[in-house]
């Protein structure tokens, strides 16, 4: 994000390489950025839940696409239908702030986790 505000994104499972035609829409992720702090919220559609969440929130472009290396990982037992995390992050170099949200999701028709 290059300025304060809110943005929402669809959360898909089984949509490798972002081919959503091969996946299933399981929920959404909303990022609310104030300019110094960001709140990332996962909201799962009815019948779906997440076993784990991985979030990257930083000033500099991420150097990895490996979810386990994003810097914030949480596991749910029992599985969760929503999750919110808050991060202190601001743009010190003028290129915006960067976010990645990933999850392992389960529910009807989901054979492979996200």
């Amino acid at each position: 994000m290059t300025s304060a505000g809110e943005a929402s994104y669809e959360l898909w499972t089984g949509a490798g390489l972002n081919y959503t035609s091969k996946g299933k829409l399981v929920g959404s992720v909303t990022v609310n950025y104030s300019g110094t702090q960001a709140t990332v919220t996962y909201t799962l559609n009815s019948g779906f839940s997440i076993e784990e969440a991985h979030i990257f929130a930083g000033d500099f472009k991420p150097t990895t696409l490996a979810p386990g290396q994003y810097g914030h990982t949480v596991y749910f037992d029992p599985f969760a239908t929503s999750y919110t995390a808050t991060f202190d992050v601001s743009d010190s170099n003028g290129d915006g702030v960067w976010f990645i949200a990933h999850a392992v999701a389960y529910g009807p028709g989901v054979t492979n986790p996200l």
Side-chain angles (χ1 to χ4, degrees):
M1 297 181 83
T2 57
S3 61
E6 183 174 288
S8 292
Y9 306 93
E10 295 175 331
L11 183 63
W12 290 81
T13 186
L17 300 175
N18 292 320
Y19 292 119
T20 56
S21 62
K22 297 179 181 182
K24 186 161 192 80
L25 180 64
V26 298
S28 64
V29 175
T30 301
V31 178
N32 191 324
Y33 177 56
S34 72
T36 59
Q37 196 171 64
T39 301
V40 178
T41 301
Y42 291 78
T43 304
L44 280 290
N45 294 341
S46 180
F48 296 97
S49 58
I50 54 176
E51 179 181 23
E52 58 190 79
H54 308 274
I55 302 170
F56 174 87
D59 182 21
F60 299 99
K61 185 177 179 178
T63 58
T64 182
L65 294 178
Q69 297 177 14
Y70 289 167
H72 180 84
T73 297
V74 62
Y75 299 94
F76 305 99
D77 185 15
F79 293 176
T81 57
S82 64
Y83 175 66
T84 300
T86 301
F87 305 90
D88 291 328
V89 60
S90 59
D91 183 12
S92 67
N93 60 358
D95 71 344
V97 292
W98 301 81
F99 299 98
I100 303 174
H102 177 270
V104 177
Y106 294 93
V110 176
T111 56
N112 295 315
L114 180 67

